[in-house]
Amino acid sequence: ITIRTSVENGNVHVKIADTGIGIPPEQMPTLFEPSFTKKGPRVKAGIGLFTCYNIMAKHQGRLQVESEVGKGTTFTMILPTDLKEPQRALR
């Protein structure tokens, strides 16, 4: 796993990449849906990615994914450095 951070165009980028099996292209459109699951010995996805996606949205950010089967996956969290309106505290 490799983690990289940067600031680009007024946004903080946090990239988390692995060299795993990758995500097949046919699964990408539903990756952030609450019903997404992938059966397998090491992959247990339920509402985790859906929850992450929504947390990023609440903080005016984005969650992007790039993947290539057999080479790995990179998730990028993009957050603004200057929020236009303060967000209410989560309780």
Side-chain angles (χ1 to χ4, degrees):
I1 293 179
T2 303
I3 301 173
R4 291 189 172 100
T5 59
S6 63
V7 176
E8 302 172 24
N9 301 319
N11 295 303
V12 173
H13 289 237
V14 179
K15 292 185 178 195
I16 302 171
D18 69 25
T19 56
I21 61 172
I23 302 168
E26 63 271 11
Q27 291 181 341
M28 296 295 277
T30 60
L31 193 62
F32 296 111
E33 292 181 5
S35 60
F36 176 81
T37 60
K38 181 173 185 226
K39 305 295 182 196
R42 296 182 57 197
V43 178
K44 303 289 184 209
I47 62 167
L49 290 175
F50 172 77
T51 301
C52 293
Y53 186 87
N54 285 293
I55 289 171
M56 293 299 295
K58 286 183 182 183
H59 291 281
Q60 299 178 22
R62 299 184 315 273
L63 182 58
Q64 297 177 339
V65 62
E66 297 173 24
S67 189
E68 188 174 340
V69 174
K71 293 199 175 185
T73 302
T74 299
F75 283 91
T76 304
M77 296 175 283
I78 303 169
L79 291 162
T81 57
D82 184 25
L83 296 175
K84 292 177 178 56
E85 294 182 23
Q87 298 293 307
R88 295 186 313 185
L90 299 175
R91 295 179 187 204

